[in-house]
């Protein structure tokens, strides 16, 4: 399954380590709607990197931060 799912633990955005929701937001804020970011995450004890196309700013940040928690 591509994308971000509930329970995923985000550890990097575009190969830059993140440890808080604020850091995830900061990485996404550096981009424009329509840009694609590479999100590295743990899902079911497996490390994955998935491409995420950013939608509108509010929606993109909500999706990334919600998935982190």
């Amino acid at each position: 399954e591509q994308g971000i799912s509930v329970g995923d633990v985000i550890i990097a955005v575009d190969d830059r380590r993140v440890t808080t929701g604020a850091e995830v937001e900061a990485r996404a804020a550096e981009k424009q709607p329509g840009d694609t970011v590479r999100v590295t995450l743990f899902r079911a004890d497996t490390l994955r990197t998935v491409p995420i196309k950013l939608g509108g700013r509010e929606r993109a940040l909500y999706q990334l931060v919600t998935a982190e928690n």
Side-chain angles (χ1 to χ4, degrees), residues 7-35:
D8 290 348
V9 178
I10 298 172
I11 61 168
V13 177
D14 282 342
D15 299 318
R16 294 171 62 192
R17 184 167 170 74
V18 293
T19 58
T20 67
E23 289 177 328
V24 173
E25 287 185 28
R27 299 299 174 262
E30 294 170 353
K31 304 293 183 178
Q32 299 296 317
D35 286 349

Side-chain angles (χ1 to χ4, degrees), residues 2 6 8 11 27-28 31 33 36 38-40 42 50-51 56:
Q2 290 290 335
V6 173
D8 290 348
I11 61 168
R27 299 299 174 262
K31 304 293 183 178
T36 299
R38 293 171 23 97
V39 176
T40 303
F42 277 107
V50 295

Side-chain angles (χ1 to χ4, degrees), residues 1 4 6 9 12 18 20 28 35 40 43 49 53-54 59 66:
E1 181 180 326
I4 299 173
V6 173
V9 178
V18 293
T20 67
D35 286 349
T40 303
R43 178 183 297 160
T49 299
K53 185 173 183 177
L54 300 177
R59 182 170 181 230
T66 301

